[in-house]
Amino acid sequence: MTDAYIYDAARTPRGKGRKDGSLHEVTSVALSARLLNAIKERNGLEGHAVEDVIWGNATQVMEQGGCLARSAVLLSDLDERIPGLSINRFCASAMEAVNLAANQIKGGAGNGYIAGGVEMMSRVAMGSDGAAIAVDPQLAMKTYFVPQGISADIIATEYGFSREDVDALGVESQRRAIEAIKDNRFAKSIVPVLDQNGLVILDHDEFPRPGTTMETLGALKPSFKDMGEVMPGFDKIAMLKYPHLDHINHVHHAGNSSGIVDGASAILIGNKEFGEAHGLKPRARIRATAKIGTDPTIMLTGPVPVTEKILKDSGMSISDIDLFEVNEAFAAVVLRFMQFFNVDASKVNVNGGAIALGHPLGATGAIIIGTLLDELERRDLSTGLATLCVASGMGAATIIERV
């Protein structure tokens, strides 16, 4: 089996995912095409250079519907002979795109791929696809469905994370992100978004909130308390599933949960022959990939079992990993990961995470792989693991190793 290498990693800046955000007037296909063009230009790709474009997206309706990957290829400057595949593993969609591309290469199905994803949360609202897991009574009742915010609060309750604990992680995410931005640590990957006249629309992440403190977060009300305790009363559903809990401690809010943003990400993956053919030097090897299903009610614990799986499958231990990117969907997700593996916080999300920078659902998986690679290079370290929790109870992970 051949190795799959990362040759380039790029992303757009993350814009505030609302109507007054900088990227709101940019369509999903236009943002995707912008990034595909950047990968083409940065790496001198001509003709039928890659086998496929695999593009993740979590809300595949309206402008993000159809085969968005193929639409993006056709709008871009890539050769029209390159097809496109759209996939959906909710928050892990872009990571799954990368993992799928890597495993296709390892299996001999093509020499090179572009993989990544997009989510325009200001233009296509989260949940607007009417997912069966939430709206089909038969399925929702079978799985004891609760919204993700309730799931995060269940994790905090089950594993003993206080409001102070989750707020402290939120403050630290902001501090680390601001420091990384000031130090230009994201510059290698960020591709500015331009308008039709070539003028810059956005060239930096606009979501971080400098000056965030424990006091400012302490003033925020829990976001999911009312839906849990009053109507529609999801706490009671959760306690039917987990009768050992006599209450749900509601600790999450906008300051310790992932930000709603717009963004896209892309990674150029190929085998050794691909790099030689295009005069490119590999930056890292994709050493292992994994995915797993988990409890659909608590939903967000996937990073723990999928990390156990990927380490076991690859014959590695947690001590073999130099840096971790654990998507900050909610603070309790990351706290549980560090608690379970006894991982030093100084190795996890060292440049902040989705609480400070935002979580464009279908793009985040490839964003954190690129961020991880850039930081391994900056610190001259070897091996990193990226992982995400996934809606409806799943987890995904990727281990990369510099070459």
Side-chain angles (χ1 to χ4, degrees), residues 87-129:
I87 64 169
N88 183 359
R89 201 186 290 279
F90 297 122
C91 303
S93 295
M95 177 175 284
E96 187 61 32
V98 171
N99 292 353
L100 178 58
N103 291 323
Q104 291 273 74
I105 290 166
K106 290 179 181 181
N111 291 335
Y113 285 76
I114 300 173
V118 67
E119 203 78 36
M120 296 299 294
M121 300 181 76
S122 70
R123 297 177 61 87
V124 183
M126 180 170 52
S128 58
D129 52 350

Side-chain angles (χ1 to χ4, degrees), residues 341-370:
F341 291 107
N342 193 28
V343 173
D344 192 319
S346 66
K347 294 183 177 182
V348 180
N349 301 346
V350 298
N351 292 322
I355 291 173
L357 295 161
H359 175 24
L361 306 177
T364 298
I367 289 175
I368 63 174
I369 292 172

Side-chain angles (χ1 to χ4, degrees), residues 36-37 40 45-53 69-85 114:
L36 294 179
N37 285 343
K40 178 181 186 293
L45 304 180
E46 297 296 337
H48 196 171
V50 294
E51 185 75 15
D52 204 353
V53 170
R70 177 57 176 167
S71 297
V73 169
L74 294 175
L75 185 61
S76 77
D77 297 329
L78 292 179
D79 193 300
E80 66 179 14
R81 290 173 292 176
I82 298 171
L85 170 65
I114 300 173

Side-chain angles (χ1 to χ4, degrees), residues 281-326:
K281 182 180 179 181
R283 296 172 62 189
R285 177 169 67 101
I286 297 180
R287 180 163 176 171
T289 69
K291 61 271 188 183
I292 201 165
T294 63
D295 179 341
T297 307
I298 201 167
M299 194 186 307
L300 307 173
T301 54
V304 168
V306 81
T307 296
E308 289 184 301
K309 184 178 190 296
I310 199 171
L311 292 173
K312 180 180 179 181
D313 290 349
S314 56
M316 301 175 70
S317 68
I318 202 75
S319 62
D320 294 323
I321 307 299
D322 296 313
L323 291 177
F324 300 85
E325 283 287 326
V326 183

